[in-house]
Amino acid sequence: MAVNLNDLRELAYQNLSSSALDYYRSGSRDERTLARNEQAWSEIELWPRVMVDVSKRTLETTVLGQRIDAPILVAPTAFHGLAHADAELGTARAARGTVMCLSTLSNTAVERVVATVGGPVWFQLYVYKDRGAARALVERAEAAGCSALVLTVDAPVLGVRERDVRNRFTLPKHLSMPNALPDADTLPEVDDSGLGTWFAQLLDESLSWNDLNWLASITSLPIVVKGVVRHDDARRAQDHGARAIVVSNHGGRQLDGSVPTAVALPHVVDATDLEVYVDGGIRRGHDVLRALALGARAVLVGRPVLWGLAANGAAGARRALDILRGELDEAMALSGCASVEDVGDWLIRP
Amino acid sequence: MAVNLNDLRELAYQNLSSSALDYYRSGSRDERTLARNEQAWSEIELWPRVMVDVSKRTLETTVLGQRIDAPILVAPTAFHGLAHADAELGTARAARGTVMCLSTLSNTAVERVVATVGGPVWFQLYVYKDRGAARALVERAEAAGCSALVLTVDAPVLGVRERDVRNRFTLPKHLSMPNALPDADTLPEVDDSGLGTWFAQLLDESLSWNDLNWLASITSLPIVVKGVVRHDDARRAQDHGARAIVVSNHGGRQLDGSVPTAVALPHVVDATDLEVYVDGGIRRGHDVLRALALGARAVLVGRPVLWGLAANGAAGARRALDILRGELDEAMALSGCASVEDVGDWLIRP
Amino acid sequence: MAVNLNDLRELAYQNLSSSALDYYRSGSRDERTLARNEQAWSEIELWPRVMVDVSKRTLETTVLGQRIDAPILVAPTAFHGLAHADAELGTARAARGTVMCLSTLSNTAVERVVATVGGPVWFQLYVYKDRGAARALVERAEAAGCSALVLTVDAPVLGVRERDVRNRFTLPKHLSMPNALPDADTLPEVDDSGLGTWFAQLLDESLSWNDLNWLASITSLPIVVKGVVRHDDARRAQDHGARAIVVSNHGGRQLDGSVPTAVALPHVVDATDLEVYVDGGIRRGHDVLRALALGARAVLVGRPVLWGLAANGAAGARRALDILRGELDEAMALSGCASVEDVGDWLIRP
Amino acid sequence: MAVNLNDLRELAYQNLSSSALDYYRSGSRDERTLARNEQAWSEIELWPRVMVDVSKRTLETTVLGQRIDAPILVAPTAFHGLAHADAELGTARAARGTVMCLSTLSNTAVERVVATVGGPVWFQLYVYKDRGAARALVERAEAAGCSALVLTVDAPVLGVRERDVRNRFTLPKHLSMPNALPDADTLPEVDDSGLGTWFAQLLDESLSWNDLNWLASITSLPIVVKGVVRHDDARRAQDHGARAIVVSNHGGRQLDGSVPTAVALPHVVDATDLEVYVDGGIRRGHDVLRALALGARAVLVGRPVLWGLAANGAAGARRALDILRGELDEAMALSGCASVEDVGDWLIRP
């Protein structure tokens, strides 16, 4: 059985096509931010407290008022059908007990995912140039029963993942994007990344903060803004109606050279009263603990869930989450924290 | 003959079973703290004094009033029977001239060790959930003639050493834990680390500072608190009756990501009037000198003694200690220090 | 097709003679500055803004009042004939839309290059000991239609590139230096770098700031001073009549150990009101963005253009520039910058 | 022909016995200071001045009033007979134009060396426990015509070079130490470093600052104190009559972990009015320039001269010095320095 997330990744590497593997693993350009994300967490040294009664521990917390069993959410990632035949339904079953963020670019319709998961689903949104279509998608997600929108703000264009360009990445014939517009629910076959081309054709490069007000006006769902690294942008998100922020650099897949999220996180936390989540490079429960100590309310994990799904379907994806929860429990016990409320920045200071 | 501790380690690697070797060598999880411990010492640069009469040198010092021949103690480590048939009796013979800390998890009864060593033995204590059993163990150690208790405070649960999980680590049939409860004096065979399971079943996860007062109330022995890295915990240890503190992260085997002890040490020294010792990553007498310069009264060494024991029994363990003492003598002479009292923080400042 | 500049470099490595390759790739002595140049850019972390309308983007800017399609100029580099039969004419065709700096040490006469490029050519100047000859060369460049002089100031002697010494570097028979003096338009064959010997024989080691006034007095062209890393030298350049400055360490080919240009750049920017350009180690459009954020008006790229020229002539050289422009466009979009005026030092600060 | 010192080292590695090679190359213990010495120079970044007339350059300077052709002295090193049959006489011939420091542990008598070199020889002194013998040696050096004494102060005991211990290092039969006491002019054959044993038997571990006054009282020669890294020791050296100081950690051969000399140098320079020299890890003329910029009056080089001597006798040793002088000349020209007086700390500051 997989002992850690590296084990799951190794298993996934054996199961995935090289094109799918490259799509999942890649960062943009030199993959510097991809590497720095992981490194930055590991460089944060912990100063544990001892002799604290940790015999009764809980990882429970809430995000946007929703109780979850640990501060670990499933990040929105595209194309789970590349990992396993169960695609997003497998992930949904694995996600029970926490929030699943479903990508606009899923291979499974949002309605089927919500029906399967039996728990809270947050819908990740890319905004079309065609605002009518954008509005229709928002309404569809709300009607399906999603409980929040996660607006991705760091992708006016797609960061170039060179592996995908070389592979001329596209979706295999049996997979589509049922949340997308019916006449654009597959990726084109081009001498480039098919996803990059799809982005450039359909998504709105003009999105700005006022559009956040527009979005809030067409939905009753709370809006989570994902992709912020700057304190001033955090403030703007709050001012324009966001209910929460995800500090993210898109897993190192957009602006290469962008600051690692572990470095950006405290700046965003200091700038806002909103709930702040973080993703990017979380590979150990110990990294979750570091994120909490820096002021995050929860983390999102993307690739590790995909490695689990590719390794062994829903059970594998659940194993990924269980590993992280187990490690977080261990790290909290060894830091003198019986609950996430006990974690503070004292843990990363002498 | 072994010139340095690396030589002894290489010899030990040839003699040990892979499971025992993994048990000794491993740190928890990514083994980051394990690696950082050694690195942190080596990064401390020395600013030696010259033209000091060092023709008459001594390494002698005292710990808790006990005179020892050098500020180097034998750290408590478990299961010396994995290294050599003489087990803790071999180590005890090697330890003459200094303090041997004997683990609760030894393969030799405390009474036999004390009888053999002919010198001071400090008993390392893990506290059972069953406080009656805990008390009985304390009384046994005191009756056997131990001269101090070393309370381990950084292990409410066992940090996961993944090598042990993969190896399903347990004790071979011919070894037991004669200091442990008679009905739990072996490790279980489970699909996990047997030691981790034993810990979770028997040891008290609720231990807190008030229990230190309780412990002091049931013994006349001085109590050394082992496993502190924070200044506030150092203060609490003092306030609750500890007589000395060991700055330790359990050799990188508990909270992975914990600060290296060389970094934590001065914070603890500044916070307390108690004697402060340190362990973790000491691989040269030069590291002992650095620890003294940072304010430690003495160091504890664990793995090097085990490498020596595995390489050549009692003679090998003694060689490990002799190597360190020889290197410390050399480093002191070359720093202008004729005795440990001459060492100060001037040695690590321009 | 080459996705990035590394691809072009790999292609070039297959086409070039080992001597030519060594001449292009080498830095001086230990090649430390060569390596540090690239590294220093990549270490500058970006703090992108999100939710900015970047649907209408332009890379256009001006240098010395000349409109160019992106802030990326072709640096002056010697001996393009080593890379491709089209030599500097190939580069000139590739450079359309921007400024081409032509080296004194070109294998093509300045008149032919200016006639071919159809765009602005800046003439890079080495000053002969023989001031009459120097003046003649300046007048020739001006007469040919060059629109600026780029005076190299970091090469009173040639930094020793040890690869060239070992290769006894010289030009193949079919190549000459038609901008050079007729009786010194080839490199000597010596037991050393032929170029180093040529330099020592002909160029003026006594050049000083007053000579800049002299140079300004004999030409109507604006003078760009190339090779400054110090704030006080930037100030002197301005005081003595320079119109712009290139922060440069000659691509790591002159003083080994010299500060990387990414580190020097802000010091020069702070010291002067002139336009400041920078070169050295720019390998991604993202590095161009970093240079702009540090206050550069534009960058110059040398080796990448040569890799492109060696890989595929004019088309390859153009591909190098197109790759950089494409990456800069991507990086600007992902940083919330619709034009180069939007870039500021906020992008490299939390 | 050797282009740089690495070339000479490679040649030497082919000519030397493994025991002699190990003796020359080794540092003490983990050889950390050995490695750090070189690294620390290379990390000092240079901020060159441009547009300075450097057409008339000189490297000349003085040490203790003695004019030398460049600020590069031959450091005292032992046993040149291991490198070449000409031993110290070869080095002496190579050293013309600068100062040769001759070790107490030379394989050639001081009288023959002085007669050969025709230039200034400084005699490096180890002080015997037998002060009568020590005095006799000082008088002998003075009578031979040495012009200064270099008192080594960082070696009350010999730092352990583990390679020598493993090799049971001793001198081959045909080599002796004619400057040493007649009854101790060879190294013993022991199960350890023969040199370490010789040191422990004969040299004075009690040497202190008052002995510097004693030394000054028995000689008219100026005394250079070699082996200081601390500002307070520099002050003490001055107060007790030293005429100059060598910042040195004995080439990383004494206290391993000692600060690299490039880091210690400015602290010593700030503390004293004496001439300050430095050695350790100088491998390029560029490092000499860095040392001058940090305030050193000159550097000493040890191993590179030995590599040259082993590679090609006197000519090789001279080549080592010529390489360094050539590189220094290049680096000065490229930094805008026509003489060593022009070098200042501005060169290592923005």
Side-chain angles (χ1 to χ4, degrees), chain D residues 111-127:
Chain D
E111 294 82 1
R112 293 187 64 204
V113 173
V114 175
T116 297
V117 68
V121 174
W122 294 359
F123 189 79
Q124 179 272 332
L125 186 68
Y126 286 121
V127 176

Side-chain angles (χ1 to χ4, degrees), chain A residues 183-237:
Chain A
D183 57 351
D185 68 346
T186 60
L187 295 184
E189 295 189 9
V190 289
D191 187 19
D192 200 333
S193 162
L195 183 61
T197 303
W198 187 92
F199 250 68
Q201 289 172 347
L202 295 173
L203 298 186
D204 188 354
E205 300 184 6
S206 78
L207 211 66
S208 64
W209 290 112
N210 288 334
D211 297 310
L212 185 55
N213 300 92
W214 164 79
L215 184 61
S217 77
I218 65 165
T219 183
S220 64
L221 296 179
I223 300 171
V224 180
V225 168
K226 174 171 175 285
V228 168
V229 297
R230 296 182 60 84
H231 69 99
D232 47 10
D233 277 346
R235 195 74 221 161
R236 288 183 194 107

Side-chain angles (χ1 to χ4, degrees), chain B residues 4 42 45 284 330 346, chain D residues 29-30 32 36 162 230:
Chain B
N4 59 31
S42 70
E45 291 185 327
R284 286 285 187 188
E330 170 194 344
W346 58 264
Chain D
R29 299 297 184 186
D30 288 319
R32 179 173 171 84
R36 286 278 293 136
E162 297 185 352
R230 300 182 58 85

Side-chain angles (χ1 to χ4, degrees), chain C residues 125-128 130-139 181 214 218:
Chain C
L125 186 69
Y126 285 121
V127 177
Y128 291 111
D130 175 346
R131 286 299 171 91
R135 180 174 189 144
L137 180 56
V138 168
E139 291 170 349
L181 297 176
W214 164 79
I218 64 165

Side-chain angles (χ1 to χ4, degrees), chain A:
Chain A
M1 192 165 65
V3 172
N4 59 32
L5 295 183
N6 274 342
D7 292 348
L8 284 175
R9 191 184 56 185
E10 291 303 315
L11 290 167
Y13 274 36
Q14 295 165 23
N15 288 357
L16 289 163
S17 74
S18 69
S19 170
L21 171 56
D22 275 352
Y23 175 72
Y24 286 161
R25 80 197 302 196
S26 62
S28 53
R29 297 299 184 184
D30 287 319
E31 302 191 335
R32 179 171 171 85
T33 296
L34 178 72
R36 286 278 295 136
N37 270 351
E38 291 193 24
Q39 183 189 19
W41 292 114
S42 71
E43 286 175 350
I44 298 172
E45 290 185 328
L46 299 168
W47 296 76
R49 273 192 190 139
V50 294
M51 295 292 268
V52 176
D53 179 351
V54 291
S55 58
K56 295 184 189 66
R57 296 191 299 279
T58 175
L59 308 183
E60 280 194 14
T61 188
T62 64
V63 283
L64 295 182
Q66 169 74 44
R67 182 151 296 275
I68 51 178
D69 57 12
I72 304 168
L73 286 65
V74 175
T77 53
F79 310 140
H80 294 203
L82 293 173
H84 193 272
D86 291 347
E88 285 80 6
L89 297 186
T91 311
R93 283 191 285 270
R96 265 175 211 143
T98 188
V99 166
M100 173 172 176
C101 298
L102 181 72
S103 172
T104 291
L105 301 177
S106 69
N107 297 127
T108 313
V110 56
E111 295 82 0
R112 292 186 65 203
V113 173
V114 175
T116 297
V117 67
V121 174
W122 293 0
F123 189 80
Q124 179 273 332
L125 187 69
Y126 285 121
V127 176
Y128 291 112
K129 295 182 210 260
D130 176 346
R131 288 298 171 90
R135 180 174 188 144
L137 181 56
V138 169
E139 292 169 348
R140 180 178 166 192
E142 186 164 356
C146 292
S147 47
L149 292 177
V150 178
L151 179 69
T152 298
V153 298
D154 58 6
V157 301
L158 195 72
V160 175
R161 301 97 190 239
E162 297 185 351
R163 296 175 198 265
D164 290 348
V165 176
R166 295 183 201 279
N167 293 337
R168 308 180 71 217
F169 174 72
T170 192
L171 284 177
K173 298 294 178 212
H174 69 283
L175 294 179
S176 68
M177 302 181 288
N179 298 333
L181 297 176
D183 57 351
D185 68 346
T186 60
L187 295 184
E189 295 189 9
V190 289
D191 187 19
D192 200 333
S193 162
L195 183 61
T197 303
W198 187 92
F199 250 68
Q201 289 172 347
L202 295 173
L203 298 186
D204 188 354
E205 300 184 6
S206 78
L207 211 66
S208 64
W209 290 112
N210 288 334
D211 297 310
L212 185 55
N213 300 92
W214 164 79
L215 184 61
S217 77
I218 65 165
T219 183
S220 64
L221 296 179
I223 300 171
V224 180
V225 168
K226 174 171 175 285
V228 168
V229 297
R230 296 182 60 84
H231 69 99
D232 47 10
D233 277 346
R235 195 74 221 161
R236 288 183 194 107
Q238 178 171 341
D239 293 345
H240 287 270
R243 288 282 303 282
I245 292 172
V246 185
V247 173
S248 177
N249 51 36
H250 216 114
R253 292 159 78 85
Q254 289 293 109
L255 178 65
D256 194 40
S258 185
V259 64
T261 49
V263 174
L265 175 58
H267 296 272
V268 171
V269 166
D270 284 350
T272 176
D273 308 317
L274 302 178
E275 290 188 358
V276 176
Y277 321 130
V278 67
D279 70 9
I282 299 276
R283 297 295 176 268
R284 287 286 186 186
H286 302 63
D287 298 331
V288 181
L289 183 64
R290 288 167 167 121
L292 299 181
L294 286 166
R297 186 158 188 92
V299 306
L300 286 68
V301 290
R303 288 184 187 86
V305 173
L306 292 172
W307 302 143
L309 188 67
N312 195 22
R318 172 156 287 274
R319 179 75 190 138
L321 293 167
D322 284 345
I323 285 171
L324 284 170
R325 285 186 285 245
E327 290 172 349
L328 174 59
D329 177 67
E330 171 194 344
M332 284 175 53
L334 297 178
S335 299
C337 301
S339 73
V340 296
E341 285 78 28
D342 293 341
V343 183
D345 66 359
W346 57 265
L347 183 51
I348 52 175
R349 312 247 180 276

Side-chain angles (χ1 to χ4, degrees), chain D residues 59-320:
Chain D
L59 307 184
E60 280 194 16
T61 189
T62 63
V63 284
L64 295 182
Q66 169 75 43
R67 181 150 298 273
I68 51 178
D69 58 13
I72 303 169
L73 287 65
V74 176
T77 51
F79 308 140
H80 293 203
L82 295 173
H84 193 271
D86 291 347
E88 285 80 7
L89 297 185
T91 310
R93 284 191 284 268
R96 265 174 209 144
T98 188
V99 167
M100 173 172 176
C101 298
L102 180 71
S103 173
T104 290
L105 302 176
S106 67
N107 296 127
T108 313
V110 57
E111 294 82 1
R112 293 187 64 204
V113 173
V114 175
T116 297
V117 68
V121 174
W122 294 359
F123 189 79
Q124 179 272 332
L125 186 68
Y126 286 121
V127 176
Y128 292 112
K129 295 183 211 257
D130 175 345
R131 289 297 171 93
R135 179 173 190 145
L137 180 57
V138 168
E139 290 170 350
R140 179 179 168 192
E142 188 166 354
C146 293
S147 48
L149 292 177
V150 179
L151 178 68
T152 297
V153 297
D154 58 6
V157 302
L158 195 73
V160 176
R161 302 96 190 241
E162 297 185 352
R163 297 176 197 263
D164 290 347
V165 176
R166 295 182 201 280
N167 294 337
R168 307 179 71 219
F169 174 73
T170 192
L171 283 177
K173 297 293 178 212
H174 70 283
L175 295 179
S176 67
M177 302 182 289
N179 298 333
L181 297 176
D183 56 350
D185 67 347
T186 60
L187 295 184
E189 294 190 13
V190 289
D191 187 18
D192 200 334
S193 161
L195 183 61
T197 303
W198 187 93
F199 251 68
Q201 289 172 347
L202 295 173
L203 298 186
D204 187 354
E205 301 183 6
S206 78
L207 211 66
S208 64
W209 290 112
N210 287 334
D211 296 311
L212 185 55
N213 299 93
W214 164 79
L215 183 61
S217 76
I218 64 166
T219 184
S220 63
L221 296 179
I223 300 171
V224 179
V225 169
K226 175 169 174 285
V228 168
V229 297
R230 300 182 58 85
H231 69 99
D232 47 11
D233 277 347
R235 194 77 220 157
R236 287 184 195 109
Q238 178 170 343
D239 292 346
H240 287 270
R243 287 281 305 280
I245 292 171
V246 185
V247 173
S248 175
N249 51 37
H250 215 116
R253 293 160 76 86
Q254 288 294 106
L255 178 65
D256 194 40
S258 185
V259 64
T261 48
V263 175
L265 174 58
H267 296 273
V268 171
V269 167
D270 284 352
T272 177
D273 308 316
L274 302 178
E275 290 189 357
V276 177
Y277 321 130
V278 66
D279 70 10
I282 299 276
R283 295 297 174 267
R284 287 284 188 189
H286 301 63
D287 299 331
V288 181
L289 184 63
R290 289 167 166 122
L292 299 181
L294 287 166
R297 185 158 190 92
V299 307
L300 287 69
V301 290
R303 288 183 186 89
V305 173
L306 292 172
W307 303 144
L309 187 68
N312 194 24
R318 171 156 287 274
R319 179 75 189 139

Side-chain angles (χ1 to χ4, degrees), chain B residues 14-34:
Chain B
Q14 295 164 23
N15 287 357
L16 289 163
S17 73
S18 69
S19 170
L21 171 57
D22 276 353
Y23 175 71
Y24 286 161
R25 80 195 303 194
S26 62
S28 54
R29 299 298 184 185
D30 288 318
E31 302 191 334
R32 179 172 171 83
T33 296
L34 178 71

